[in-house]
Amino acid sequence: MCKTYKQIVVLSGKGGTGKTTISSAIASLLSNKVIIDCDVEAANLHLTLKPRVENKYDFYGGKKASIKQGKCIECGICESICNFNAIKNFQVNPYECEGCGFCYRVCPEDAISFELQLTGRYYKCDLHDGSKFYYARLEPGETNSGKLVSELKEKAISNINESVKWVVVDGPPGIGCPVNASLASADYVLIVTEPSKSAMNDSIRLIGLLRILKLRAGIIINKSDLNEEVCKAIEHYAFLENIPIIGRLPFDEQVIQSLREGKSIIDTNELYYLKMKDAIKLLKNEIRDHKNKLVEI
Amino acid sequence: MWDTLINVERGQELVISIASGKGGTGKTTVATGLVQTIENCSYFDCDVEEPNGHILLQPSIEQTEKIYKPVPAINSDLCNCCGKCVDVCEFNALINIKFDIVIIEEMCHSCGACQHYCPHEALSMRRKEIGELRKGNTGNGVLFVDGVLKIGEPSAVPLIKKVIERVKPDVVNVLDSPPGTSCPMIEVAKNSDYCVLVTESTPYGLHDLVQSVDVLKALRIPFGVVINKFEDAFKDIVDYLEANDIDLLMTIPFDRKIAEAYSSGKIPAIFNNEERNKFEELFKRICSKVKTTGAEVV
């Protein structure tokens, strides 16, 4: 079956620049969409979208070793081969164990169990307008967040029907494992940045990753009037890199106020509503214009 | 209530980690503000995916070191594609495609099982560059260390481990953690004596704080909370802290001026005397929570 939708992934590199605020605005302004919150360690989009949970799934993140007391003859081979220093005094520290299974295989007495662990849950939900929303929760302290992101996305995308035109992914911060997983099969990346030296630095690193993955991107500058000098520097960088500025949103204390009230900013502030509408128009054009071009950043 | 769980084996050093579930709540602001007020301390930027401490502290970098992780390499003369290595790899870093074994180095956790189980001794471990460790000093004598993950390398933990290896004995060490509640954050938190959780006065901040608290309780690391972008009228976080008997260490007001200072790379603690005093108080409070090191507020 031919893919009928475009997938937009919202990322930032630095946290707290406004990924979720922008994603919730996009979620209310687009129709025929599926929304996925891929920040599984700090999922927040559901707090604003207030979805109704339709179905719940268990996530088995990976295996962990544990030594069976009684069977262990304390030979110490497991401790000597573990590259993660996870075994001491014939006990496995679950926070050090990376789940490689080497000890389980090497144990001469079959005294190590190696079992799948329930490390998270993910949810399929309905939004008020009838579209689908997916989010997940990694159990605190668990590993393998990238794998949960992949499973969440696969579940969401496998349920898509032909009426869906847009898949919007609210991504995690950083440029590591969960970000890579969020970017699988993306059509376009929306970078939410802000005019601070830190956020600019982080966006540049993110763009470096997008180059390696051959993905196209556009930028939204949030809190755009916070620092004129840095804002210009970001615009200049974007120009040199041939990345379009999709929108600029001013710093406004009302944004954090809306957040506290659990409302989407476009419902409480008309300027934001208009600016986001323009941004989405531009975004759609950007994605369509380049329909036939393969890779261009 | 978590004060009883202090790690006393470490002797004289003190390791303070600064963490948060949600990104952008002000970890680096708090961490760099703190190091400005402590004599003879060192700063470690463990957010190797997006390190920003250098922007605020502006250290002179004196030493850089490339960091590698071991990954398998196959000697095709000895390999007969039996697939044993593929079977023992839990991370799908080795794939058997008919007459060839392909290694996906990004997936490799360097456990060494493939090499151990190869019946033909066809696998050896080679070094793959994963990033850079930088070491320097700030103008006022703070030791600065950070890790910069190579772009495209997905796993931050091996580099974070290398950064933490540089923690100095006999001084106060401040570890600036990556966001989240997964492996990179745990790697930092579990290596500290005390963790400062930074949150903000929003429902997002509270939601992610609760998850971070669960992690620290599981790790048995004592902790307290700093609320940034503090708003009196938003009671939820203060109520949560009181209900759960968690220490509120400091609040930072929501102020456009602070955001502006940060945006141009300034540390709030040095641009404003009042803030500086608050950071001194913060450090004193942390010291009163853990066995102190004899380190003194400047």
Side-chain angles (χ1 to χ4, degrees):
Chain A
M1 196 182 80
C2 189
K3 194 177 117 184
T4 57
Y5 60 87
K6 293 286 180 193
Q7 187 188 141
I8 305 164
V9 181
V10 183
L11 291 173
S12 67
K14 177 167 164 40
T17 58
K19 284 182 297 298
T20 303
T21 301
I22 303 284
S23 295
S24 70
I26 295 175
S28 359
L29 290 169
L30 284 177
S31 44
N32 303 318
K33 81 260 174 173
V34 170
I35 313 288
I36 313 170
D37 187 349
C38 282
D39 189 357
V40 301
E41 294 174 50
N44 290 143
L45 192 51
H46 65 283
L47 298 173
T48 300
L49 297 182
K50 301 186 179 71
R52 189 183 64 82
V53 175
E54 183 195 319
N55 219 337
K56 195 165 97 173
Y57 308 88
D58 290 337
F59 169 68
Y60 290 88
K63 295 177 180 174
K64 267 187 186 153
S66 124
I67 295 177
K68 303 175 203 162
Q69 301 305 325
K71 279 194 105 177
C72 174
I73 56 161
E74 306 195 346
C75 68
I77 296 177
C78 55
E79 187 174 332
S80 74
I81 57 88
C82 178
N83 274 351
F84 310 106
N85 297 319
I87 305 177
K88 283 198 180 84
N89 302 323
F90 318 106
Q91 278 187 333
V92 180
N93 178 343
Y95 294 105
E96 303 284 352
C97 177
E98 296 205 10
C100 72
F102 198 172
C103 58
Y104 151 78
R105 290 189 174 85
V106 91
C107 177
E109 295 296 317
D110 197 19
I112 297 180
S113 64
F114 189 50
E115 304 287 344
L116 268 176
Q117 309 285 316
L118 177 68
T119 59
R121 288 203 163 79
Y122 53 106
Y123 305 89
K124 179 186 183 187
C125 313
D126 283 317
L127 295 178
H128 298 297
D129 64 358
S131 48
K132 296 287 179 221
F133 170 67
Y134 294 80
Y135 76 102
R137 179 188 152 98
L138 188 72
E139 284 303 318
E142 289 299 341
T143 57
N144 264 325
S145 60
K147 198 175 164 191
L148 177 53
V149 170
S150 299
E151 203 170 307
L152 176 71
K153 275 191 84 172
E154 270 167 38
K155 173 62 87 183
I157 285 169
S158 67
N159 282 329
I160 282 177
N161 62 38
E162 283 161 27
S163 67
V164 172
K165 296 273 183 294
W166 303 100
V167 172
V168 180
V169 175
D170 185 10
I175 57 166
C177 185
V179 168
N180 279 272
S182 304
L183 283 167
S185 68
D187 293 299
Y188 199 82
V189 179
L190 187 58
I191 301 168
V192 180
T193 191
E194 63 181 32
S196 71
K197 286 185 174 173
S198 302
M200 180 173 170
N201 180 61
D202 295 355
S203 298
I204 291 171
R205 286 174 59 77
L206 173 62
I207 289 164
L209 175 69
L210 301 181
R211 275 233 175 71
I212 293 172
L213 299 173
K214 300 187 173 19
L215 285 164
R216 292 190 298 122
I219 293 176
I220 285 192
I221 307 179
N222 196 11
K223 312 171 197 173
S224 59
D225 55 344
L226 198 58
N227 186 322
E228 204 181 321
E229 197 188 329
V230 181
C231 191
K232 278 191 180 141
I234 293 173
E235 286 167 358
H236 184 65
Y237 180 82
F239 172 76
L240 293 177
E241 298 297 318
N242 198 19
I243 300 175
I245 306 289
I246 300 285
R248 292 173 186 81
L249 302 168
F251 182 90
D252 191 336
E253 302 201 356
Q254 212 185 339
V255 173
I256 199 160
Q257 200 47 45
S258 305
L259 233 158
R260 284 181 189 133
E261 290 162 13
K263 291 177 183 154
S264 174
I265 182 68
I266 56 166
D267 296 334
T268 55
N269 184 318
E270 199 181 353
L271 176 72
Y272 269 73
Y273 171 74
L274 295 171
K275 284 198 174 273
M276 276 311 298
K277 249 183 119 172
D278 287 347
I280 284 177
K281 205 183 283 175
L282 251 171
L283 181 69
K284 284 180 174 174
N285 285 342
E286 263 300 312
I287 295 173
R288 288 199 183 113
D289 275 357
H290 289 76
K291 201 154 60 178
N292 300 316
K293 291 188 193 171
L294 263 176
V295 176
E296 195 181 47
I297 279 190
Chain B
M1 68 184 285
W2 304 100
D3 296 3
T4 49
L5 301 165
I6 299 157
N7 184 350
V8 285
E9 287 164 51
R10 287 175 178 278
Q12 287 301 295
E13 80 207 43
L14 175 62
V15 183
I16 305 167
S17 58
I18 317 291
S20 75
K22 178 169 167 17
T25 54
K27 285 180 296 299
T28 303
T29 299
V30 171
T32 54
L34 205 51
V35 299
Q36 294 293 316
T37 61
I38 307 169
E39 199 173 20
N40 190 22
C41 74
S42 34
Y43 169 86
F44 299 84
D45 195 344
C46 302
D47 188 359
V48 301
E49 290 179 43
E50 297 289 22
N52 289 329
H54 67 101
I55 294 173
L56 280 86
L57 289 171
Q58 296 182 352
S60 56
I61 300 293
E62 283 144 18
Q63 208 185 324
T64 63
E65 186 189 331
K66 284 199 168 34
I67 301 297
Y68 304 87
K69 74 171 185 184
V71 293
I74 294 175
N75 181 343
S76 50
D77 293 340
L78 298 173
C79 174
N80 71 350
C81 290
C82 71
K84 185 72 194 169
C85 56
V86 177
D87 295 341
V88 299
C89 180
E90 288 291 327
F91 308 108
N92 301 318
L94 295 139
I95 298 171
N96 201 345
I97 47 165
K98 281 188 180 166
F99 308 109
D100 211 359
I101 304 279
V102 177
I103 299 169
I104 302 162
E105 293 175 347
E106 283 71 26
M107 308 290 281
C108 176
H109 286 225
S110 312
C111 72
C114 54
Q115 183 189 22
H116 179 87
Y117 282 103
C118 176
H120 310 289
E121 290 178 17
L123 280 163
S124 56
M125 295 307 261
R126 68 168 199 88
R127 299 192 312 169
K128 178 184 192 280
E129 190 190 328
I130 56 166
E132 203 174 66
L133 194 83
R134 303 189 298 185
K135 204 171 161 184
N137 280 292
T138 67
N140 52 354
V142 173
L143 169 74
F144 173 95
V145 179
D146 76 355
V148 184
L149 189 69
K150 197 173 173 191
I151 293 169
E153 170 64 37
S155 178
V157 173
L159 182 55
I160 293 172
K161 284 185 175 168
K162 292 286 179 186
V163 173
I164 294 175
E165 275 176 20
R166 300 300 192 282
V167 162
K168 278 176 66 173
D170 304 326
V171 298
V172 178
N173 298 275
V174 176
L175 309 184
D176 196 351
S177 165
T181 56
S182 184
C183 8
M185 178 268 184
I186 293 164
E187 190 59 40
V188 176
K190 78 184 179 197
N191 282 296
S192 64
D193 303 308
Y194 189 86
C195 181
V196 177
L197 286 175
V198 186
T199 187
E200 60 177 38
S201 280
T202 66
Y204 292 179
L206 173 60
H207 177 271
D208 301 346
L209 172 67
V210 174
Q211 307 218 149
S212 313
V213 165
D214 287 349
V215 174
L216 293 172
K217 284 183 179 172
L219 290 172
R220 300 169 71 83
I221 302 289
F223 63 94
V225 171
V226 169
I227 309 177
N228 192 8
K229 305 177 196 174
F230 182 69
E231 164 61 56
D232 251 338
F234 186 80
K235 298 274 182 223
D236 300 15
I237 294 184
V238 178
D239 290 348
Y240 165 78
L241 297 181
E242 276 175 14
N244 290 278
D245 199 9
I246 296 168
D247 292 318
L248 174 58
L249 301 167
M250 180 171 89
T251 61
I252 304 171
F254 180 58
D255 185 344
R256 185 181 169 117
K257 284 198 190 104
I258 294 177
E260 280 173 0
Y262 176 82
S263 74
S264 52
K266 291 189 187 116
I267 307 168
I270 43 176
F271 92 97
N272 177 329
N273 261 337
E274 192 190 329
E275 290 302 322
R276 191 193 157 89
N277 291 339
K278 283 170 74 173
F279 278 103
E280 288 178 3
E281 282 304 310
L282 172 65
F283 181 58
K284 283 181 190 161
R285 287 188 132 188
I286 294 169
C287 289
S288 73
K289 300 290 169 195
V290 282
K291 204 177 170 85
T292 52
T293 62
E296 278 175 22
V297 174
V298 183

